[in-house]
């Protein structure tokens, strides 16, 4: 089979790595890919949002399955376009992708189908939002409705913060039309968890849960990023909690989507807050998470390809998604300055030494390969994932490997999984 993976981050490297282990796969392409991906797949220089060129490529190369990494092409309708041409593609159609593309749509679905989430109000006028913000209690959470590259959410501590964020979003339109409407919702307290399921439109099957670390510095300090590390499993997620999430979140949502005439095919990701009142949904993503995928896929036993294919064919129910008992932990190495400004083009040293390390997986994100050398080319550069029989082993494998990597102005968090190490071993 010929497979095309769309995207070029650590998530897509992990997908390409896992798919490349399938005996059914002859050739993998990745658009646009990155330096590390080019060792396993042929990079194709087409941006993820250029759907007509991606379609031409997939048709002319007779691609048997396309797997979509990021949300943008999904919300632009890549799945509808490919399916119309009879091409198999893993991911939800455009109307299902609204679960991520519009936070208001997601909230309406949750309200209609009784899914636990924070109470909220919607505003399309700045003045009305200000009047509301003057009379409410803080902290509270403000969200731009549409896609904003992970920057559209503020946990506001006071009116001044809330005022200036809503002004940026609604008046200055820093996210364009994505900020045409905003949601203002109650601030929930608890620990976060990412829970993903495969869905074929009729049935669904859970993947291993994970925890992301969004802040740039240790002890959750500094600004939010695209993710500085992750681990899986999440110790407090026992089987009772996971069953509750399936029963209270995924079952009603996917059944509700079907009732609305929208069949959800692909992977569905719920960002959850584990509160004292139970799990509550913060957001839905219509794709694999990043960096969650870099710790989820190393725990997935067996061949990923038949699962992806089964989702596209509505044949997931007989398939068993098997998960290893091992712990996976990933440390994201970033360019100094990220998530603000940073420089690219620094050579990454120490990668060769890790190639033979058992239980260590180096997933590239912002890298490019030139003359056999890997250079930095983005904010998040690498995710070093490692497996271990417990948190302590997974952590030490990941950090031992991270210490061997070097590039100028490199930064990574030293505390991924540290609390869990004390909780469970
Ligand atoms: P979202 O993109 O909706 O997941 O929001 C990004 C981040 O904002 C989440 O990962 C949480 O850390 C935080 N967040 C979002 N909604 C809430 C909420 N209702 N209460 C507390 N934190 C939240
Ligand atoms: N890790 C958060 C996301 O993928 O959106």
């Amino acid at each position: 089979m010929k497979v095309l993976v769309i995207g070029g981050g650590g998530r897509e490297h992990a997908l390409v790595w896992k798919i490349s282990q399938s005996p059914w796969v002859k050739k993998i392409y990745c658009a646009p890919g990155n330096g590390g991906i080019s060792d396993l797949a042929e990079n194709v220089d087409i941006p993820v949002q250029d759907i007509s060129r991606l379609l031409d490529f997939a048709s002319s190369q007779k691609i048997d399955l396309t797997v979509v990494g990021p949300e943008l092409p999904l919300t632009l309708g890549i799945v509808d376009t490919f399916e119309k041409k009879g091409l198999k593609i893993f991911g939800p159609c455009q109307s299902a992708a609204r679960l991520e593309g519009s936070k208001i749509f997601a909230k309406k679905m949750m309200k209609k189908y009784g899914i636990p989430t924070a109470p909220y109000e919607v505003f399309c006028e700045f003045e009305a939002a200000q009047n509301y913000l003057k009379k409410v209690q803080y902290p509270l959470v403000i969200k731009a409705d549409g896609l904003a590259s992970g920057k559209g959410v503020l946990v506001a501590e006071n009116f001044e913060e809330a005022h200036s964020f809503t002004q940026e979003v609604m008046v200055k339109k820093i996210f364009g039309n994505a900020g045409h409407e905003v949601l203002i919702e109650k601030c929930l307290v608890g620990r976060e968890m990412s829970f993903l399921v495969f869905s074929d439109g009729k049935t669904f099957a859970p993947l291993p849960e994970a925890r992301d670390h969004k802040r740039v510095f240790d002890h959750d300090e500094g600004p939010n990023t695209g993710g500085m590390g992750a681990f899986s499993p999440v110790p407090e997620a026992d089987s009772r909690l996971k069953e509750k999430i399936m029963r209270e979140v995924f079952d009603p949502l996917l059944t509700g989507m079907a009732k609305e005439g929208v069949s959800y095919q692909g992977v569905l990701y719920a960002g959850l807050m584990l509160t004292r009142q139970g799990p509550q949904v913060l957001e839905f993503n219509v794709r694999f998470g990043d960096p969650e995928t870099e710790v989820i896929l190393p725990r997935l036993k067996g061949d990923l390809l038949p699962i992806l294919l089964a989702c596209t064919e509505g044949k997931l129910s007989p398939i068993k998604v098997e998960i290893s008992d091992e712990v996976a932990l990933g440390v994201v190495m970033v360019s100094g300055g990220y998530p603000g400004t940073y420089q690219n083009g620094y050579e990454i040293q120490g990668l060769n030494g890790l190639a033979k390390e058992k239980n260590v997986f180096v997933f590239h994100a912002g890298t490019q390969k030139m003359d056999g050398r890997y250079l930095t080319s983005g904010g998040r550069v690498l995710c070093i994932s490692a497996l271990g029989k417990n948190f302590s082993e997974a952590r030490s494998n990941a950090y031992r490997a991270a210490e061997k990597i070097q590039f100028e102005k490199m930064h990574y968090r030293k505390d991924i999984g540290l609390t869990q190490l004390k909780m469970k071993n």
Side-chain angles (χ1 to χ4, degrees), residues 27 60 106 133 140 156 162 165 170 177 208 228 238 275 277 283 312 334 361 373 377 395:
K27 170 104 186 167
S60 63
L133 289 171
L140 53 70
F165 185 70
M170 301 183 86
N177 276 342
M228 295 295 294
D238 56 18
T275 73
Q277 289 73 39
E283 64 167 343
T312 67
V334 304
F361 315 97
R373 298 178 311 147
S377 68
R395 251 194 122 241

Side-chain angles (χ1 to χ4, degrees), residues 1-31:
M1 284 185 67
K2 283 182 176 180
V3 178
L4 168 65
V5 174
I6 295 177
R11 165 184 53 206
E12 288 77 18
H13 193 181
L15 283 165
V16 166
W17 164 78
K18 188 73 183 165
I19 292 169
S20 71
Q21 292 161 15
S22 171
W24 304 102
V25 171
K26 271 215 182 77
K27 170 104 186 167
I28 308 178
Y29 296 93
C30 190

Side-chain angles (χ1 to χ4, degrees), residues 232 239 242 284 321 368 418:
S232 174
S239 55
K242 288 192 263 187
F284 286 112
V321 177
Q368 66 180 119
L418 194 59

Side-chain angles (χ1 to χ4, degrees), residues 62-103:
K62 302 198 166 46
I63 298 293
D64 298 291
L65 177 70
T66 298
V67 182
V68 189
E71 61 278 17
L72 184 59
L74 294 168
T75 57
L76 292 174
I78 190 168
V79 171
D80 313 59
T81 308
F82 272 49
E83 284 181 346
K84 246 183 242 154
K85 289 273 176 193
L87 292 169
K88 265 193 194 133
I89 181 162
F90 177 85
C93 63
Q94 191 169 27
S95 51
R98 279 183 299 164
L99 282 174
E100 180 165 359
S102 166
K103 288 184 189 290

